[in-house]
Amino acid sequence: MRAEPTPAIETRPLAHPVARRRRAVRPGELLLLATALVSAIVLVYPTAWVFFASFKTQETLFSGEFADYTLENYRRLFASGFGVHIGNSLVISLAAVLISTFVSVIAAYVFSRRRFRWKATIFGGVMLGQTFPWIILVTPVFILFARLGLLNTYLGIVVCYVAVTIPFSVYLLVGYLESVPRSLDEMAIIDGCPPFLVIWRIVFPIMLPGVVATATYAFLLCWSEYLFALALLTRTEMKTMPLVLYAFFGEHTTEWGQVMAAAALTALPPLLLFLPLQTKLSAGLAAGAVKQ
Amino acid sequence: MLTRLARGSGLLLLSVVLGLALVGAAGAVEVSFRFNDAEHKEIRDALDVFQKQNPNIKVILQRIAWSDAREQFLREAAVGQGPDIGHFGQVMIRSMGQAGAFLRLNDLVRKHGLEELWKADFRSTDLASQDDGTIHGIPWTVDTFAMVYNKDLLRQAGIARFPETWEELRQASRQIKQRTGKTGWGFPAGSGSTNSIWFFCNFYWWSHGWALVDRAPDGKYVMNVTVDQIAEAFDYYNTYFKEGHNDKALLAVTNWGAQELIEGMVQGNIAIISTPEFVLTQIEDAYKARYPGKPFPFASTIHPRDRNGSKTFIGGRQLAINASAKHPDEAFQVIKYLLRPEIFSKYYTGQWPAQKSLSHAGYAEQLKLARAWGPYSTGPVAIPIMWNATGRAAGSVFTGEKTSRTAAKELHDLIQAELAKVK
Amino acid sequence: MRGNRAFVGLLLLPALFFLIVFYVYPTVFNLQNSLTDLSLFGLRRGGRWVGLRNYVDTVWLTLISVSVRIVLGLLLALLVNSDTLRRWRLATLFHVILIVPWATPPIVAVVIWRWMLDPRAGVVNKLLMVSGLVPEPVAFLSDVTFVWPSLITIITWNTLPLVTLTFLASLKAIPSEVLEAASVDGASKLRSVWHVVLPHLMPAVVVMTLMSTFWTFNNFVYVWLTTGAGPGLYTNVMATEVYLKAFVDGRMGYSSALGIVMAAIMTAFGLLYLRFVVRRELREAF
């Protein structure tokens, strides 16, 4: 399969000439369609509901009526300084994703294209990072970062998120690179192109869909991370959205409208990012995670 | 030559001094204060007033969820980090102080002239200081739980006066369910590490004269409750769920001020709750907003009594200074300001001040009957451990996972084992 | 290829730097710690082995929720890929639909589902009551009969799309000649799914099974934020036990020891993963 020049980026439906011709709906089909409808509702309803609920007033939220839509929840949420946390989440996630993707691309290139001693061992070590229970890292990382003065800094949490995302990103990217023909970059190297330029001029553009998918996935991971943020960001002005959302949820239970508004805003950026990218995303993930 | 040099250095010196003075004036000392209650905006307003009066001090406000407040501060203090001033539950101070998280405040108390007040006016000084007299916290607010009930619902259920014993209370709860269909005593019974059932179990035990940890005449810390007595409290509360006059939904609720309770009271779906006073204030506020002009149907009273009377605890908040605070004196000035009467009347209105002279009526009667945590806090078993374990044990009984005896035995053995470790 | 050591070293250095700081150092710290019984309260308390409970619970949660995800993921992928949905032009729409739960951060998922499962206000109970399936609201998160299924539902809802999308991508990669050959052979639909499609999907199934296992076994957020390990300690998995011991009971040593055990179990799984997935996939590179 490796001989195939490009992975299945364009998701082409299989040819089904027989299926095209029939038009009448059979009972079996109806059942399938009904199942599809139910699945769709179950999948979409919960998230959609948060967006609806965030526009409801406290009273209608509890009584379940659908009247009385209001922007009050958002107004009060922003008045309580939620904007700062949106900014924090964006800065931290974007910075972490940029660095992590850069680091992972060059590491993946080396793993995929070079032979060197201990390669299998080092690669195995990196991959094991995926299987590591984060919970046991919290205290040691906290102590280390405290000694280095990295608590409550963008730098600290970004370093943490870069480390958290590298193993999976390297895995996806190496998988993706395996589907990029070697002849291209080998040719360039024979032509005398410096190795580092080969990565950026030749390999990177070809593997861009894979890079985008990897970066998007890493973004979701950073954006929704809770455990490390809880330990490493304790000053209000440094906190990310999940922390504030849970604090609202766990403590100030009288402000349900604001909880819903905060939840909606936390869910929005990944949705906005994922939806337009959907084909690229599944193709990229598949190329990395599933090789035929 | 020499004079020029002298003049030069004089000028240099002068400019350095001037520069330092300028920097000093511009760069006020920063004191960080981690305040975890809901009145964030109000406290900010109060601190703005403070900053105007003390231009050399700038207070930065932080916040953390109460459920994370203790462990996060311990982690931070262990590595010389964290806010200068922390905001804690009364029962957290001693164990955290022993772990070295707090600054010894004795000298600051003396220096700022609070010594007399400390001796005469403050409640909960036992929870704020260690056995050797080291002061680790300043009591800020006090509260206790009282029973809050809906007079209309009780009247509809044919209950003329509020029950006075545990058995009467259960009977009343049953009757409310039968006659009105509403929840009787709606207590939250979730088993998280900061659960409420811990308080209710203790109220039950204390009113009978029992306690998880007590101090024997010889000064030793002992358990003063048997497995059966522990199980009795679990069974007592469990019948509320078994008979269906407490809402099963409350099995998942841990917080004594949860929305489920507040809304339940406001909408008249719950007849009785046990809660701190600031929750009653929230209920009244919500009721006022929802039904303008209607009179409050709510009243408050003391908990049921047994042979040891009606017993709740003195709870509330304390303030403490981080062991590694860079400006302890300025931090203490902030604390001193936060003890003023106007803080409680204008800003931090949900809480009662810890100074007797400033407290109001309201939960007054129950507060008179409230006991200090005493041996619980001075003893060798940290309260958070017993708190978590009690909630987990009770939870496993309510959900039918364990029998009350098994759960009681496990809790008893755990505390016994902890006590046995101390020589 | 030429083993340009400096070049290789330079390119690997950044990644290794992050990983060593973040994984190796803390592991050494935990190992040390697990032997010393450091306590947050500064009091020395002996470790008491609670027994196998948390392990059993963790394995059970992982096993069930991973199987549910794989099976549902397969079925959903086959459904979306079916001729019917294609004909109704619903396949693309389903790709979009699948993105929604996937892009929803776990913390938001927990907030939503706790609301939906709420006995009084929750939509699930309202539906059950209206349809007459239950006489009174079910306390999903505090009733021991329902708390595990509820947790598994939340985890499945949030993570099923990734599994499904991976299977879908893998389905699309099946050459149409293979399928046509099967239908020419007269294989019935079910049989062709069983004999042709599933074997093709096997690599994807293995990858997703192993990955879901890591994610579930190590996950702290879903359980902690949904049930807080309750009711009682009914849903106390290893990750929450590590947390409870360290930060509620203040027994750092015990907690570290437990963490090391957790890491050891996962490393064993990780080696399987390296052996079966990584090596096979990246054959060429090694």
Side-chain angles (χ1 to χ4, degrees):
Chain A
M1 283 300 126
R2 197 166 320 283
E4 244 177 31
T6 42
I9 299 168
E10 310 293 325
T11 52
R12 162 186 57 92
L14 298 178
H16 283 285
V18 190
R20 287 266 156 71
R21 245 174 280 138
R22 287 197 298 259
R23 266 288 155 222
V25 182
R26 289 170 302 140
E29 288 204 310
L30 217 56
L31 189 72
L32 275 186
L33 286 174
T35 318
L37 182 70
V38 173
S39 319
I41 291 175
V42 172
L43 289 171
V44 173
Y45 176 85
T47 306
W49 187 80
V50 163
F51 285 91
F52 279 121
S54 68
F55 293 105
K56 288 172 132 196
T57 59
Q58 182 83 3
E59 291 80 43
T60 51
L61 198 58
F62 254 91
S63 60
E65 288 157 29
F66 274 89
D68 270 2
Y69 286 91
T70 169
L71 280 173
E72 182 63 13
N73 294 329
Y74 286 95
R75 203 191 56 72
R76 287 180 50 200
L77 189 67
F78 279 101
S80 75
F82 199 68
V84 177
H85 307 299
I86 300 179
N88 286 340
S89 276
L90 280 173
V91 169
I92 291 167
S93 303
L94 290 177
V97 167
L98 276 178
I99 298 172
S100 155
T101 308
F102 173 78
V103 168
S104 301
V105 164
I106 56 175
Y109 175 80
V110 172
F111 280 128
S112 172
R113 296 296 197 258
R114 296 298 177 109
R115 295 195 184 283
F116 52 94
R117 279 182 76 186
W118 303 108
K119 178 170 158 180
T121 316
I122 296 174
F123 186 68
V126 174
M127 289 299 99
L128 284 182
Q130 282 182 70
T131 72
F132 214 81
W134 294 357
I135 181 91
I136 76 168
L137 302 176
V138 174
T139 303
V141 166
F142 176 84
I143 292 174
L144 177 69
F145 278 24
R147 285 189 190 139
L148 300 174
L150 289 177
L151 295 181
N152 285 312
T153 60
Y154 284 144
L155 180 63
I157 194 80
V158 166
V159 165
C160 170
Y161 286 176
V162 169
V164 161
T165 48
I166 283 177
F168 193 63
S169 295
V170 169
Y171 168 71
L172 285 182
L173 289 169
V174 171
Y176 203 88
L177 266 172
E178 289 302 290
S179 64
V180 175
R182 277 142 207 280
S183 48
L184 275 178
D185 42 305
E186 277 168 16
M187 202 83 88
I189 286 175
I190 291 165
D191 287 350
C193 185
F196 202 73
L197 276 186
V198 171
I199 302 181
W200 298 114
R201 292 268 172 79
I202 319 262
V203 181
F204 190 79
I206 303 175
M207 65 189 288
L208 199 61
V211 174
V212 169
T214 309
T216 312
Y217 197 80
F219 178 83
L220 179 64
L221 217 61
C222 301
W223 183 262
S224 41
E225 205 285 324
Y226 177 79
L227 194 56
F228 290 112
L230 177 66
L232 304 180
L233 304 175
T234 55
R235 298 172 64 156
T236 307
E237 71 274 14
M238 290 303 297
K239 284 186 178 173
T240 54
M241 291 165 83
L243 290 181
V244 181
L245 170 60
Y246 192 70
F248 262 127
F249 184 56
E251 302 286 333
H252 308 292
T253 39
T254 41
E255 290 151 359
W256 271 105
Q258 286 185 63
V259 170
M260 289 303 147
L265 288 176
T266 310
L268 194 62
L271 277 171
L272 288 182
L273 193 62
F274 271 48
L275 287 175
L277 285 172
Q278 58 102 356
T279 20
K280 280 205 175 67
L281 216 54
S282 42
L285 270 179
V290 185
K291 304 286 302 317
Q292 297 301 321
Chain B
M1 180 72 201
L2 214 67
T3 44
R4 266 170 66 185
L5 196 68
R7 213 188 302 153
S9 19
L11 261 175
L12 195 71
L13 199 72
L14 191 70
S15 56
V16 166
V17 169
L18 264 177
L20 278 177
L22 275 173
V23 167
V29 168
E30 280 190 359
V31 171
S32 47
F33 172 30
R34 187 179 289 161
F35 173 84
N36 309 329
D37 276 324
E39 293 93 337
H40 233 245
K41 218 181 126 292
E42 290 79 2
I43 291 293
R44 181 69 263 174
D45 292 344
L47 290 171
D48 288 343
V49 174
F50 173 80
Q51 284 177 182
K52 232 171 256 157
Q53 294 164 358
N54 302 273
N56 60 325
I57 303 176
K58 183 169 176 250
V59 187
I60 298 159
L61 211 51
Q62 309 178 3
R63 168 193 245 168
I64 194 166
W66 271 117
S67 50
D68 301 316
R70 187 175 57 100
E71 54 246 37
Q72 185 64 39
F73 196 92
L74 281 171
R75 263 199 298 244
E76 287 168 328
V79 291
Q81 300 276 332
D84 299 308
I85 307 171
H87 185 205
F88 302 98
Q90 301 244 12
V91 296
M92 300 177 187
I93 297 291
R94 280 180 57 107
S95 60
M96 293 178 71
Q98 282 159 18
F102 299 142
L103 193 74
R104 191 184 135 97
L105 297 177
N106 301 48
D107 297 338
L108 285 166
V109 166
R110 200 172 309 123
K111 186 180 159 201
H112 287 271
L114 283 181
E115 221 171 10
E116 287 311 306
L117 272 176
W118 174 268
K119 282 182 195 141
D121 199 28
F122 278 102
R123 286 196 179 93
S124 317
T125 49
D126 59 331
L127 290 171
S129 52
Q130 308 293 352
D131 294 341
D132 65 1
T134 301
I135 299 173
H136 274 144
I138 302 292
W140 193 19
T141 67
V142 288
D143 61 23
T144 192
F145 283 32
M147 307 291 307
V148 173
Y149 60 96
N150 183 322
K151 291 178 283 186
D152 298 347
L153 277 176
L154 260 69
R155 202 178 308 116
Q156 282 170 40
I159 299 160
R161 91 188 144 76
F162 195 85
E164 288 181 357
T165 68
W166 293 103
E167 196 36 59
E168 277 176 32
L169 179 59
R170 187 160 56 184
Q171 177 53 36
S173 179
R174 203 179 283 139
Q175 205 167 313
I176 289 163
K177 183 74 189 179
Q178 280 163 2
R179 303 222 179 140
T180 68
K182 309 289 188 187
T183 300
W185 178 14
F187 56 85
S191 39
S193 50
T194 52
N195 58 79
S196 305
I197 198 71
W198 153 255
F199 300 112
F200 306 132
C201 283
N202 276 301
F203 300 164
Y204 188 90
W205 293 322
W206 293 346
S207 71
H208 288 81
W210 312 325
L212 285 182
V213 181
D214 228 333
R215 200 151 194 188
D218 61 358
K220 265 202 188 145
Y221 289 98
V222 291
M223 285 194 81
N224 180 18
V225 63
T226 66
V227 171
D228 286 328
Q229 290 161 349
I230 293 176
E232 191 183 313
F234 292 169
D235 285 331
Y236 175 80
Y237 289 111
N238 198 19
T239 46
Y240 281 77
F241 291 109
K242 283 212 285 212
E243 294 174 1
H245 41 94
N246 189 4
D247 191 340
K248 265 200 177 153
L250 294 179
L251 282 169
V253 177
T254 51
N255 193 307
W256 45 93
Q259 180 66 22
E260 284 86 345
L261 300 173
I262 293 175
E263 274 298 320
M265 288 302 281
V266 170
Q267 295 186 6
N269 290 325
I270 300 177
I272 305 167
I273 61 172
S274 163
T275 198
E277 189 159 17
F278 71 90
V279 178
L280 173 56
T281 316
Q282 286 182 23
I283 293 171
E284 289 180 337
D285 289 348
Y287 193 87
K288 207 188 296 174
R290 202 77 53 83
Y291 313 107
K294 268 178 82 176
F296 295 141
F298 310 110
S300 60
T301 187
I302 59 168
H303 282 74
R305 54 171 66 94
D306 204 278
R307 56 174 189 281
N308 197 32
S310 166
K311 281 274 168 282
T312 56
F313 67 100
I314 299 173
R317 312 274 189 242
Q318 299 214 5
L319 296 169
I321 296 183
N322 194 322
S324 50
K326 279 175 211 73
H327 309 288
D329 198 72
E330 283 81 0
F332 200 84
Q333 285 181 46
V334 176
I335 291 185
K336 199 178 166 194
Y337 170 76
L338 291 170
L339 297 171
R340 288 195 191 174
E342 68 261 30
I343 298 295
F344 302 99
S345 57
K346 264 169 73 182
Y347 305 105
Y348 198 23
T349 49
Q351 307 275 339
W352 297 113
Q355 298 150 77
K356 290 169 199 159
S357 55
L358 296 181
S359 58
H360 296 63
Y363 275 29
E365 197 187 347
Q366 183 77 66
L367 211 47
K368 271 184 241 152
L369 300 167
R371 57 164 268 176
W373 287 98
Y376 280 61
S377 60
T378 55
V381 195
I383 286 182
I385 295 179
M386 294 192 280
W387 189 348
N388 180 39
T390 305
R392 304 287 172 184
S396 63
V397 175
F398 300 152
T399 53
E401 193 198 344
K402 288 177 189 158
T403 65
S404 57
R405 240 200 96 82
T406 314
K409 177 127 193 4
E410 283 174 14
L411 177 63
H412 188 273
D413 292 354
L414 180 124
I415 297 174
Q416 197 73 276
E418 293 289 323
L419 284 172
K421 281 180 199 152
V422 183
K423 297 293 156 312
Chain C
M1 190 148 295
R2 290 151 297 159
N4 185 344
R5 259 162 65 190
F7 180 68
V8 166
L10 190 71
L11 263 55
L12 278 185
L13 195 69
L16 294 183
F17 164 77
F18 282 108
L19 297 177
I20 286 169
V21 168
F22 202 73
Y23 293 99
V24 179
Y25 161 78
T27 309
V28 173
F29 176 93
N30 268 309
L31 270 171
Q32 234 174 22
N33 211 352
S34 64
L35 302 172
T36 57
D37 200 14
L38 170 90
S39 164
L40 262 185
F41 292 113
L43 294 168
R44 289 190 63 87
R45 298 172 195 283
R48 201 172 63 93
W49 201 246
V50 205
L52 278 174
R53 241 326 269 286
N54 317 115
Y55 294 79
V56 175
D57 277 353
T58 312
V59 169
W60 142 245
L61 170 71
T62 308
L63 207 70
I64 302 277
S65 78
V66 170
S67 333
V68 166
R69 246 175 292 179
I70 298 298
V71 172
L72 282 183
L74 273 173
L75 291 177
L76 200 56
L78 288 173
L79 176 73
V80 175
N81 205 43
S82 69
D83 299 346
T84 313
L85 260 74
R86 289 260 191 69
R87 197 143 67 81
W88 287 76
R89 299 184 181 282
L90 292 174
T92 319
L93 179 67
F94 247 89
H95 275 89
V96 176
I97 285 173
L98 281 166
I99 297 283
V100 172
W102 183 22
T104 304
I107 181 118
V108 178
V110 168
V111 170
I112 304 170
W113 278 93
R114 274 180 61 166
W115 252 88
M116 294 192 20
L117 295 174
D118 184 85
R120 211 179 288 105
V123 66
V124 176
N125 267 304
K126 278 187 185 147
L127 276 179
L128 289 175
M129 297 278 283
V130 166
S131 60
L133 284 172
V134 294
E136 58 170 11
V138 179
F140 285 101
L141 296 178
S142 51
D143 190 322
V144 286
T145 325
F146 297 105
V147 65
W148 279 123
S150 304
L151 271 172
I152 289 167
T153 306
I154 299 173
I155 298 174
T156 306
W157 179 81
N158 207 193
T159 52
L160 181 67
L162 171 62
V163 176
T164 312
L165 286 168
T166 310
F167 290 161
L168 268 174
S170 184
L171 271 176
K172 292 210 177 87
I174 300 179
S176 45
E177 313 89 63
V178 176
L179 283 175
E180 274 159 25
S183 69
V184 169
D185 291 346
S188 78
K189 208 148 210 160
L190 267 180
R191 279 177 59 104
S192 82
V193 165
W194 189 255
H195 290 292
V196 181
V197 177
L198 275 188
H200 247 281
L201 284 181
M202 267 332 270
V205 171
V206 174
V207 179
M208 280 297 121
T209 306
L210 282 167
M211 286 194 168
S212 309
T213 305
F214 309 140
W215 293 333
T216 316
F217 191 91
N218 293 336
N219 197 287
F220 165 80
V221 171
Y222 290 113
V223 176
W224 185 251
L225 300 186
T226 308
T227 65
L233 281 168
Y234 195 70
T235 56
N236 197 19
V237 291
M238 285 181 78
T240 53
E241 175 71 358
V242 169
Y243 187 86
L244 271 173
K245 277 289 167 293
F247 302 128
V248 176
D249 289 357
R251 286 183 183 153
M252 297 301 289
Y254 178 95
S255 168
S256 292
L258 205 67
I260 291 295
V261 173
M262 238 181 125
I265 297 176
M266 277 300 100
T267 304
F269 259 95
L271 292 175
L272 266 182
Y273 169 71
L274 289 181
R275 173 79 188 72
F276 286 113
V277 179
V278 177
R279 259 183 62 183
R280 185 183 48 72
E281 274 181 22
L282 311 176
R283 225 171 312 138
E284 189 86 348
F286 292 93

